[in-house]
């Protein structure tokens, strides 16, 4: 019960007692009036001679009885009022907070001991003293800390405060060591009720909380520093493990040796993925993860993830399908790296927990404004599903679908937690629906700005009327039917090659402008169907859909095909092929993920000079083996000082600079090199195992041009070298005996 509630209760009791007293007083007055009336009647009777002594005695007894009863009730009411008042003041005096009431002349009417305690030893302070005098006593007797103000200023400030319509609370620090918050409130009739709340304990608790917060922040910084240091220490040897394994895989190996080497490489990359998950989660927890929006293609982003995961899905005969809203833009503004991470986590999980069936990604959109689109992405699978009791905790940290005791699937349990945090950081929401044993559906929705070059999808007229789709997978047939139907085409669906042949034979092939067939189907596959159509004399063009088009590039059966398209199908690739059907002279096109651009080979002259500063012996070996075979002059430096000397002597075209080295580190060495002749023009690439938030910005601020995170990837390293190869140097693939 609060102080105000207690005061209200006691005041009500006092009012009740006062009302009872007033009621009894009225009854007494009525009895006295009745007695007076009886006396008047007695007098009248005496005058008329109609009464007797007995009647007079009875009437006198009644009057006396009424008088005694009224007096007793009056005394009882007075005792009740006095008891209520005593209880009220006992309650007020026992509370820790000070309480006082001032009348409209600002004179003290009542006050409890807690309020008067600060004025102890001053006889002047009693009922009737003015508020001004109380404030003056506080200031002149040094009973309160007035801060930097003078006594007169502080007194004036306290008096002016009471002149405001609404009196704001204020905090006073008393010289005896306690602290109070003063609440003054105007009451009816001009009275002012003052409540002095003791907040000494509250402030002590707040100070303890602030101290605990400082300790927690220090611990968090220590944790971040520990993670950054551990990441660096782990990545440094992992550069040797993964790099050497990658180099071994490029050599001539037996099947058994290649299996071992690829296992080492894949295991090292899996360990790096775990490290990245832990670092990402640490960044998110510390609110250090920042998004970097830029224009990107959402459809192609999802397609690239599907292509990346397709090899593992193909081993278990899992179909990866994508259904992208035909009339929705593909170009948006978002952080492409984080969006790819979200899609990789969700689709990768779906593939991991699906033993057979399919994984379907649907993307639909709704226009929020002329510049924004609300997109919803769902990832459906036919996997093991999630038990109802695990649904609510599936996005929690370190959550696993299977129990720890009988774990079948590996992972940190951080993927979905990171995904949820990333989606929330982008301003969206994520959810899941699942049925144990039948599969799951993870979905998220985001409102994304359209990229400047994101024009709505406008399909040009297609020179076709009737298309036949042959696919054993119902969802694939449904997706193609909807996409082709949206272009105004008539679509005939067949679930296998035999059904397609029967339908074509029934109409003699007339009216069918195109056949789109899957490659791998039970019974007769897509190539067999194409060959059979050619043998039967049907000339309609055929487009083959394949999850691995590269293996068909030299297949003799592709001569009868119009094109081979990569599954899952990009709508842009499909519609492009439909438009190209008006040019039958075009050769067969194999559409698959674009290979890495070849390194430039123009120029003829000296070798490119490369200086690499690296203190780790194993990392120097890895670097040298990765560039082995290139027409370059490579020189190593083991610390920053050697890097500066090597730069002066060698005059390199490109410098690779390790950041953490004994003695002089890479940042300091870079600053020194930038001061040397020609040092400002030479590109310097950072090699670092630091991967925490802010590391890259800090490194670039030291004057480096790019950052490459360890462990190094050979294709990325070679691309970087090719990018900065001067025009006057010989091709990187030139013979090694060529001199500069």
């Amino acid at each position: 019960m609060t102080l105000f509630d207690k005061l209200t209760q006691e005041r009500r009791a006092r009012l009740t007692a006062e009302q009872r007293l007033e009621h009894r007083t009225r009854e007494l007055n009525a009895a006295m009036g009745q007695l007076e009336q009886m006396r008047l009647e007695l007098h009248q009777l005496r005058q008329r001679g109609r009464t007797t002594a007995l009647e007079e005695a009875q009437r006198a007894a009644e009057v006396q009885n009424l008088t005694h009863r009224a007096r007793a009730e009056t005394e009882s009411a007075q005792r009740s009022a006095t008891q209520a008042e005593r209880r009220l003041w006992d309650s007020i005096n026992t509370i820790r907070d000070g309480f006082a009431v001032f009348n409209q002349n600002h004179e003290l009417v009542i006050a409890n001991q807690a309020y008067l305690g600060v004025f102890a030893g001053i006889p002047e302070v009693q009922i009737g003293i003015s508020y001004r005098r109380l404030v003056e006593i506080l200031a002149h007797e040094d009973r309160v800390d007035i801060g930097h103000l003078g006594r007169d200023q502080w007194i004036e400030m306290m008096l002016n405060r009471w002149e405001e319509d609404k009196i704001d609370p204020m905090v006073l620090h008393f010289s005896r060591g306690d602290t109070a918050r003063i609440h003054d409130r105007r009451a009816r009739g001009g009275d002012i009720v003052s409540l002095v709340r003791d907040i000494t304990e509250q402030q002590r608790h707040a100070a303890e909380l602030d101290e605990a917060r400082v300790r927690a922040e220090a611990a968090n910084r220590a944790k971040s520093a520990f993670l950054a240091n551990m990441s660096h220490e782990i990545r440094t040897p992992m550069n040797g493990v993964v790099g050497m394994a990658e180099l071994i895989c490029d050599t001539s190996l037996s099947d058994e040796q290649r299996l071992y080497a690829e296992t080492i490489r894949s295991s090292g990359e899996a360990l790096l993925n775990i490290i990245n998950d832990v670092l990402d989660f640490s960044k998110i927890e510390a609110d250090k993860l920042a998004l970097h929006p830029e224009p990107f293609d959402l459809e192609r982003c999802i397609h690239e993830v599907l292509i990346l995961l397709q090899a593992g899905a193909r081993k278990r005969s899992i179909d990866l399908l994508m259904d992208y809203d035909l009339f929705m833009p593909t170009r948006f503004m978002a952080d492409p790296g984080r969006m790819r991470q979200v899609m990789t986590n969700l689709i990768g999980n779906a593939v991991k927990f699906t033993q057979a069936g399919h994984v379907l990604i649907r993307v639909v959109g709704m226009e929020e404004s002329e510049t924004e689109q609300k997109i919803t992405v769902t990832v459906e699978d036919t996997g093991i599903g999630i038990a109802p009791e695990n649904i609510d905790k599936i996005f929690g940290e370190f959550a696993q679908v299977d129990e720890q005791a009988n774990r079948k699937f590996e992972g940190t349990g951080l993927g979905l937690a990171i995904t949820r945090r990333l989606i929330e950081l982008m301003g969206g929401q994520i959810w899941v629906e699942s049925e144990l044993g039948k599969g799951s559906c993870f979905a998220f929705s985001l409102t994304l700005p359209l990229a400047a070059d994101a024009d709505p999808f406008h399909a040009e007229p297609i020179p076709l009327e009737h298309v036949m789709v042959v696919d054993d997978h119902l969802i694939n047939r449904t997706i193609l039917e909807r996409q082709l139907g949206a272009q105004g085409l008539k679509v005939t669906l067949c679930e296998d090659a035999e059904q397609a042949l029967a339908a074509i034979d029934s109409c003699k092939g007339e009216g069918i402008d195109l056949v789109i067939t899957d490659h791998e189907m039970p019974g007769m596959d897509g190539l067999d169907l194409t060959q059979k159509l050619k043998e039967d004399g049907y000339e309609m063009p055929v487009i083959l859909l394949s999850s691995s088009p590269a293996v068909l590039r030299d297949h003799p059966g592709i001569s009868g095909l119009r094109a081979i398209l990569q599954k899952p199908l990009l709508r842009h690739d499909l519609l492009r092929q439909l438009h190209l059907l008006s040019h039958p002279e075009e050769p067969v096109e194999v559409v698959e993920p674009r290979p890495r651009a070849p390194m430039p080979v123009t120029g003829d002259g000296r070798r490119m000079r490369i200086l690499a500063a690296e203190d780790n012996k194993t990392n120097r070996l890895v670097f040298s083996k990765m560039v082995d075979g290139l027409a370059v002059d490579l020189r190593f430096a083991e610390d920053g000082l050697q890097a500066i000397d090597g730069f002066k002597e060698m005059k390199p075209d490109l410098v690779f600079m390790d950041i953490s080295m004994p003695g002089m580190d890479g940042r300091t060495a870079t600053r020194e090199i930038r001061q040397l002749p020609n040092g400002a023009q030479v590109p310097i690439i950072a090699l670092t195992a630091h991967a925490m938030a802010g590391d890259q910005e800090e490194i670039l601020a030291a004057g480096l041009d790019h950052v490459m995170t360890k462990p190094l990837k050979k294709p990325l390293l070679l691309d970087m070298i090719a990018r900065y190869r001067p025009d006057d140097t010989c091709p990187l693939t030139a013979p090694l005996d060529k001199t500069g």
Side-chain angles (χ1 to χ4, degrees):
M1 180 181 297
T2 65
L3 171 62
F4 284 109
D5 292 337
K6 197 166 186 179
L7 292 175
T8 301
Q9 183 176 356
E10 295 295 342
R11 187 174 183 182
R12 286 176 179 171
R14 181 179 178 182
L15 290 176
T16 301
E18 290 175 350
Q19 289 173 355
R20 289 178 60 190
L21 177 60
E22 183 180 356
H23 178 69
R24 296 306 179 192
T25 302
R26 286 198 302 270
E27 288 184 346
L28 178 60
N29 292 336
M32 296 299 291
Q34 186 178 2
L35 179 61
E36 184 64 28
Q37 181 67 27
M38 291 177 67
R39 285 176 178 173
L40 181 60
E41 291 179 359
L42 180 60
H43 178 69
Q44 291 175 349
L45 287 173
R46 282 177 176 174
Q47 287 181 343
R48 296 174 184 176
R50 297 176 183 174
T51 182
T52 64
L54 179 61
E55 289 176 342
E56 289 181 3
Q58 289 176 342
R59 288 182 180 274
E62 289 178 1
V63 171
Q64 187 176 9
N65 184 42
L66 287 173
T67 302
H68 285 307
R69 188 174 64 182
R71 185 179 294 112
E73 290 180 352
T74 300
E75 291 175 354
S76 176
Q78 288 176 339
R79 285 195 300 270
S80 297
T82 301
Q83 185 179 18
E85 184 176 0
R86 186 171 57 251
R87 286 178 178 175
L88 173 62
W89 277 108
D90 288 344
S91 299
I92 292 176
N93 281 320
T94 57
I95 61 176
R96 186 176 181 179
D97 297 328
F99 174 77
V101 177
F102 294 83
N103 62 21
Q104 59 184 353
N105 296 322
H106 296 180
E107 295 171 341
L108 183 63
V109 178
I110 56 175
N112 67 349
Q113 293 301 320
Y115 188 91
L116 299 174
V118 71
F119 302 98
I122 304 177
E124 181 184 356
V125 177
Q126 54 186 321
I127 301 303
I129 191 171
S130 68
Y131 174 73
R132 169 184 284 274
R133 184 55 188 152
L134 289 177
V135 171
E136 291 174 349
I137 291 173
L138 288 176
H140 291 291
E141 295 292 334
D142 294 327
R143 298 296 176 101
V144 68
D145 181 9
I146 62 176
H148 63 280
L149 297 176
R151 287 188 175 92
D152 293 339
Q153 289 179 305
W154 186 82
I155 293 171
E156 192 67 24
M157 181 267 294
M158 294 294 290
L159 295 176
N160 291 337
R161 175 173 167 269
W162 265 31
E163 300 301 325
E164 300 292 335
D165 292 335
K166 181 181 178 182
I167 306 174
D168 293 328
M170 69 173 300
V171 175
L172 290 182
H173 300 282
F174 297 111
S175 56
R176 62 188 180 183
D178 55 336
T179 303
R181 179 176 284 109
I182 313 299
H183 298 269
D184 296 313
R185 183 180 301 173
R186 298 189 186 281
R188 293 180 181 178
D191 291 353
I192 294 181
V193 179
S194 183
L195 181 64
V196 183
R197 302 293 304 270
D198 190 326
I199 60 172
T200 307
E201 197 68 23
Q202 178 182 341
Q203 287 201 330
R204 184 187 62 79
H205 184 59
E208 291 176 351
L209 288 178
D210 189 63
E211 184 181 352
R213 178 186 59 80
V214 172
R215 290 198 302 266
E217 290 176 350
N220 189 54
R221 288 192 296 270
K223 181 192 72 172
S224 298
F226 172 77
L227 285 173
N229 185 59
M230 289 306 299
S231 169
H232 177 270
E233 295 302 321
I234 293 174
R235 285 173 180 273
T236 297
M238 285 303 299
N239 183 58
V241 174
V242 176
M244 294 303 287
E246 186 175 350
L247 292 171
I248 292 174
C249 291
D250 291 338
T251 63
S252 298
L253 301 171
S254 65
D255 292 341
E256 185 177 15
Q257 291 171 330
R258 185 167 299 280
L259 173 64
Y260 295 161
E262 290 180 349
T263 301
I264 294 172
R265 181 177 62 180
S266 61
S267 298
E269 291 175 346
L271 177 58
L272 286 172
N273 288 334
I274 294 174
I275 296 172
N276 290 336
D277 278 351
V278 173
L279 288 176
D280 278 344
F281 187 73
S282 175
K283 295 176 195 174
I284 293 172
E285 269 203 327
D287 291 330
K288 297 296 185 182
L289 191 144
L291 300 178
H292 303 283
E294 60 182 74
F296 86 111
D297 191 308
L298 176 61
E299 183 183 19
R300 189 165 294 280
C301 171
I302 298 173
H303 189 263
E304 290 173 353
V305 173
L306 290 172
I307 296 302
L308 180 67
L309 299 173
Q310 197 166 59
R314 193 183 302 122
K315 294 178 181 178
R316 285 177 281 167
S317 300
I318 300 172
D319 290 316
L320 299 184
L321 312 173
M322 180 170 65
D323 184 8
Y324 196 98
D325 189 344
L326 185 64
F327 297 103
M328 193 180 86
T330 65
R331 301 280 296 172
F332 297 96
M333 291 293 295
D335 188 322
R338 295 304 177 183
M339 186 63 73
R340 182 185 179 94
Q341 184 178 0
V342 167
M343 298 310 308
T344 301
N345 281 342
L346 293 180
I347 301 174
N349 262 7
V351 172
K352 180 168 68 172
F353 294 110
T354 302
Q355 299 303 311
H358 69 270
V359 174
L360 170 64
I361 294 84
R362 295 184 188 273
V363 186
V364 296
M366 179 181 298
E367 187 176 284
E368 291 281 289
S369 66
E370 293 183 358
T371 59
E372 290 184 327
Q373 187 99 8
K374 183 176 182 179
I375 65 168
T376 300
V377 180
T378 60
V379 180
E380 307 170 14
D381 65 65
T382 56
I384 62 175
I386 306 169
E389 61 270 17
N390 291 330
I391 289 287
D392 293 337
K393 59 183 180 181
I394 193 65
F395 291 108
E397 292 82 9
F398 307 103
Q400 299 284 350
V401 172
D402 45 353
E403 296 181 359
Q404 190 71 22
N406 59 352
R407 287 189 59 190
K408 179 180 179 182
F409 302 97
E410 297 180 352
T412 62
L414 287 175
L416 289 178
I418 293 171
T419 298
R420 175 176 64 86
R421 299 286 188 94
L422 288 175
I423 292 296
E424 292 173 350
L425 196 60
M426 297 178 191
Q429 56 181 343
I430 186 169
W431 65 94
V432 60
E433 298 175 359
S434 183
E435 186 174 351
L436 190 62
K438 294 188 177 181
S440 305
C441 176
F442 285 83
F444 67 87
S445 63
L446 288 172
T447 298
L448 296 179
L450 296 172
D453 55 351
D455 296 327
F457 184 82
H458 298 296
E460 299 177 3
I462 297 176
L464 302 174
E465 293 183 1
H466 188 185
V467 178
M468 175 176 286
V469 175
V470 188
D471 198 312
D472 62 305
H473 204 292
L474 174 61
I475 296 180
N476 257 347
R477 297 198 301 272
T478 304
I479 293 173
L480 285 169
E481 180 184 25
R482 186 166 62 251
Q483 291 182 338
L484 295 171
Q487 301 299 317
L489 302 177
K490 177 183 177 182
V491 183
T492 298
L493 302 178
C494 300
E495 62 184 22
D496 55 38
E498 288 78 7
Q499 185 179 356
L501 287 172
I504 293 174
D505 288 338
S506 65
C507 65
K508 307 298 183 183
E510 297 181 1
I512 299 178
D513 302 314
L514 172 67
V515 174
I516 300 177
T517 178
D518 188 24
H519 175 209
E520 297 178 354
M521 296 185 293
M524 184 183 299
D525 66 17
L527 286 176
D528 294 335
L529 172 61
T530 304
Q531 186 64 29
K532 179 63 176 174
L533 290 175
K534 187 175 182 180
E535 292 174 357
D536 292 347
Y538 297 116
E539 300 296 331
M540 74 276 293
V542 178
I543 293 178
L544 185 72
L545 307 181
S546 174
S547 58
S548 52
V551 302
L552 301 175
R553 188 179 297 275
D554 299 323
H555 195 286
I558 69 171
S559 58
L561 298 173
R562 176 61 190 172
I564 302 174
L565 300 184
Q566 170 80 50
K567 291 174 57 181
L569 195 59
L570 278 172
R571 62 177 185 174
H572 174 271
D573 293 338
L574 174 62
L575 294 179
R576 178 173 175 272
Q577 290 303 320
L578 296 180
H579 288 296
L580 286 177
L581 287 175
S582 58
H583 305 284
E585 69 280 359
E586 294 288 340
V588 176
E589 182 176 7
V590 179
V591 181
E592 57 181 321
R594 299 175 182 175
R596 182 173 58 86
M599 294 182 295
V601 294
T602 59
D604 186 18
R606 64 177 179 83
R607 294 188 184 191
M608 182 180 182
R609 296 186 291 269
I610 297 177
L611 173 64
E614 172 62 69
D615 66 301
N616 186 278
K617 181 179 179 180
T618 302
N619 288 343
R620 292 198 296 271
L621 176 61
V622 171
F623 191 98
S624 63
K625 292 299 183 182
M626 284 185 173
V627 301
D628 189 28
L630 298 182
V632 298
D633 288 333
L634 175 63
R635 176 172 175 173
F636 283 108
E638 298 183 11
D639 56 39
L641 290 174
Q642 289 188 19
I644 296 173
D645 293 338
F647 186 89
K648 295 176 180 177
E649 298 171 4
M650 187 183 187
K651 295 181 173 52
D653 303 302
L654 178 63
V655 177
F656 288 95
M657 182 71 70
D658 186 25
I659 296 301
S660 298
M661 293 184 292
M664 182 182 291
D665 64 14
R667 297 182 183 86
T668 305
T670 299
R671 296 188 185 99
E672 294 292 332
I673 289 175
R674 292 303 189 199
Q675 303 303 316
L676 298 175
N678 199 42
Q681 288 74 39
V682 175
I684 303 179
I685 313 300
L687 304 179
T688 180
H690 293 286
M692 289 295 287
D695 288 338
Q696 182 167 337
E697 291 77 5
E698 183 183 354
I699 292 172
L700 293 177
L704 293 104
D705 296 282
H706 295 281
V707 178
M708 297 185 68
T709 304
K710 297 176 183 178
L712 299 178
K713 296 291 185 180
K714 183 176 179 180
L716 297 179
L717 177 63
L718 299 184
D719 281 344
M720 190 65 70
I721 294 174
R723 178 189 303 183
Y724 289 108
R725 183 181 70 85
D727 293 337
D728 63 341
T729 59
C730 65
L732 293 173
T733 54
L736 293 181
D737 59 353
K738 183 166 183 168
T739 59

